[in-house]
Amino acid sequence: MALDPETFSLLKEAIHRFVQERLVPNEDRVEHEDDVPAEIIAEMKELGLFGLSIPEAYDGIGLSMMEEVEICMELGQTALAFRSVFGTNVGIGSQGILMDGTEEQKQTYLPKIASGEYIFSFALTEPNAGSDAASLQTTAILDGNEYVINGTKRYITNAVRASGFTLMARTDPSNKGAGGISAFIVPRDTPGITLGKVDPKMGQRGTKTCDVIFENARVPAANIIGGKPGVGFKTAMKVLDRGRFHISAMATGMAKRILKEALDYAMQRKQFGQAIAEFQLVQGMLADMQTELYASECMVRDGARRYDASQTVKDPQLPMLAAACKYFTTESVGRAADKAVQIHGGAGYMSEYKVERFYRDVRLLRLYEGTSQIQQVIIAKNLLKGL
Ligand code: COS
């Protein structure tokens, strides 16, 4: 699916304006209140941000991956907490249902996820299962017509806002590996679900994560995604492959913003009788930032193009490309944030300037949806397989 070029360019322009006129001016408020204001969330719904990736048949905007990354490179140019509000609906919270769900599951959930009426979270990580996702311990045991869920999910983004979870749990405890895992749709109001306290974090204030605890929570057997037990790990991996392009585009947008902050500062800050931007050592840092930004843009666009093409003819390199893209772009924005602080000198350490905040915010990009080291493992595994 893709929009016609004119509609897409109008959408992109509207989102550019929304970012610059509504989100950027509210960044300080989000930082101080540690929350995204309700009126901003309402405007996000109006704009259709919760349904960017959901097909029009289920009331979303139905962007292709190539279009989605262009939009994300706009949305990434402001505090990443804004994205977190609709990000799980666009990506990891909805895509499992879209990719592998039954038609009935899609009809029931996707329109409400697309409108933002439902916020959906992705519940994979656990206290003892982070990078080694296949070792998860939460169980879902069939009892008559229902599965009984027990276990704890950790650092679940948007759990406090959620109406439901796409949850990965072990339906076959005798199979300790990936094949014992199934994916479920679990409504938040299911009895037996409680939330832990909201996690205090290094950055991305306004992004909400917490534990989700399941104690004998019962869901109908029909809530298993696609009606098929034992394939939940594969669903999760496909969702993460896609999500990694989305995160890469957000990282690239943020790198652009960070470069702008550094350039603006370097041009107005005077030392030794001239703007510091005139000094070649500062220019070297700016040039490195621009060069890596360009490389990130190219990777993100090429990866998204390959993702779209793989919807017709399966591309076995896709997990490797997604991993390479996330690895490079998120490490790169980390380097950019570090240089931006350096260019600001002592001011870069002060909360008064945005780069101190962005430095903390972008640190998370190298951790969630697979650490840089997991991306390296995926890339190497694929190389060894000859892909
Ligand atoms: N797409 C589809 N299927 C995939 C896949 C992908 N990208 N990656 C793996 N699979 C399949 C494999 O083909 C294998 O299937 P078979 O058993 O039928 O052969 C199965 O899943 C298990 O794969 P594998 O043996 O590679 O799994 P590992 O336990 O070695 O783990 C990694 C693989 C490390 C890649 C995985 O655990 C991972 O991505 N971890 C990071 C998790 C993460 O990103 N967490 C972030 C939290 S969510 S915000």
Side-chain angles (χ1 to χ4, degrees):
M1 309 140 288
L3 300 184
D4 68 80
E6 196 186 335
T7 310
F8 179 68
S9 104
L10 288 172
L11 175 73
K12 192 172 164 192
E13 181 50 35
I15 287 177
H16 176 81
R17 276 204 314 275
F18 180 62
V19 168
Q20 302 306 325
E21 292 168 16
R22 295 292 297 138
L23 302 188
V24 171
N26 273 290
E27 285 170 349
D28 287 350
R29 187 171 163 200
V30 169
E31 182 74 8
H32 297 135
E33 293 177 5
D34 194 10
D35 209 351
V36 177
E39 72 268 20
I40 295 282
I41 297 179
E43 289 172 48
M44 289 171 171
K45 289 182 185 173
E46 279 283 298
L47 262 173
L49 293 185
F50 289 83
L52 287 175
S53 61
I54 294 174
E56 287 174 279
Y58 306 106
D59 300 347
I61 295 184
L63 298 184
S64 65
M65 198 72 223
M66 284 176 78
E67 291 169 335
E68 184 178 325
V69 297
E70 293 298 331
I71 297 297
C72 288
M73 285 192 277
E74 293 293 334
L75 289 164
Q77 290 175 45
T78 185
L80 292 166
F82 290 116
R83 179 211 80 99
S84 79
V85 178
F86 57 85
T88 54
N89 276 30
V90 170
I92 54 181
S94 70
Q95 292 297 314
I97 302 173
L98 182 60
M99 289 173 183
D100 288 340
T102 62
E103 191 49 43
E104 193 185 339
Q105 288 168 343
K106 293 182 200 183
Q107 303 269 4
T108 308
Y109 293 99
L110 293 179
K112 291 190 168 107
I113 293 176
S115 68
E117 180 185 339
Y118 284 176
I119 302 278
F120 254 63
S121 293
F122 181 72
L124 173 68
T125 298
E126 297 182 357
N128 295 316
S131 291
D132 184 7
S135 71
L136 62 81
Q137 294 166 338
T138 294
T139 52
I141 304 300
L142 193 60
D143 179 27
N145 239 348
E146 292 176 328
Y147 279 94
V148 186
I149 304 170
N150 280 288
T152 298
K153 294 292 175 178
R154 180 138 292 174
Y155 308 144
I156 303 307
T157 303
N158 278 337
V160 287
R161 300 175 172 127
S163 324
F165 305 94
T166 54
L167 169 94
M168 268 47 71
R170 193 168 298 284
T171 43
D172 179 2
S174 69
N175 183 339
K176 303 279 180 227
I181 297 171
S182 305
F184 290 89
I185 300 167
V186 183
R188 165 67 184 94
D189 58 8
T190 305
I193 300 180
T194 50
L195 301 182
K197 65 173 178 38
V198 171
D199 305 308
K201 289 185 286 297
M202 176 194 284
Q204 292 209 17
R205 287 172 63 79
T207 297
K208 302 288 177 191
T209 64
C210 67
D211 279 5
V212 184
I213 302 128
F214 298 86
E215 288 168 303
N216 293 320
R218 289 178 166 267
V219 292
N223 282 29
I224 212 159
I225 292 181
K228 249 167 94 181
V231 292
F233 185 78
K234 288 186 186 173
T235 300
M237 291 300 110
K238 289 189 287 180
V239 165
L240 286 171
D241 284 341
R242 192 183 181 289
R244 286 169 186 156
F245 289 116
H246 172 102
I247 296 291
S248 300
M250 298 299 303
T252 305
M254 187 32 85
K256 188 168 183 178
R257 169 69 184 277
I258 287 171
L259 173 56
K260 182 183 179 305
E261 295 289 332
L263 184 61
D264 288 352
Y265 186 80
M267 287 171 70
Q268 59 83 17
R269 169 77 176 162
K270 290 200 168 54
Q271 285 296 278
F272 303 102
Q274 58 181 340
I276 61 169
E278 299 297 329
F279 292 107
Q280 288 185 337
L281 291 178
V282 172
Q283 288 178 357
M285 288 191 271
L286 292 168
D288 284 354
M289 289 162 82
Q290 171 58 39
T291 304
E292 292 200 28
L293 171 61
Y294 177 53
S296 290
E297 287 168 344
C298 290
M299 270 183 112
V300 162
R301 290 185 172 128
D302 182 66
R305 183 183 59 76
R306 298 270 299 262
Y307 185 92
D308 285 341
S310 80
Q311 304 305 301
T312 327
V313 181
K314 197 170 155 22
D315 183 345
Q317 282 196 324
L318 210 66
M320 186 272 282
L321 296 175
C325 207
K326 180 176 187 280
Y327 178 42
F328 181 79
T329 56
T330 60
E331 289 284 333
S332 174
V333 71
R335 288 189 288 272
D338 189 66
K339 289 192 178 81
V341 170
Q342 199 66 19
I343 289 169
H344 279 67
Y349 204 69
M350 304 299 155
S351 307
E352 187 189 340
Y353 293 86
K354 293 281 172 81
V355 291
E356 173 272 334
R357 183 183 309 167
F358 293 154
Y359 181 86
R360 290 182 285 110
D361 285 356
V362 301
R363 192 64 187 82
L364 183 56
L365 294 168
R366 289 192 264 161
L367 305 170
Y368 63 13
E369 300 203 21
T371 61
S372 289
Q373 288 63 39
I374 284 295
Q375 311 311 329
Q376 289 174 299
V377 165
I378 295 171
I379 297 162
K381 260 190 177 180
N382 280 272
L383 285 175
L384 298 182
K385 277 194 218 159
L387 289 171

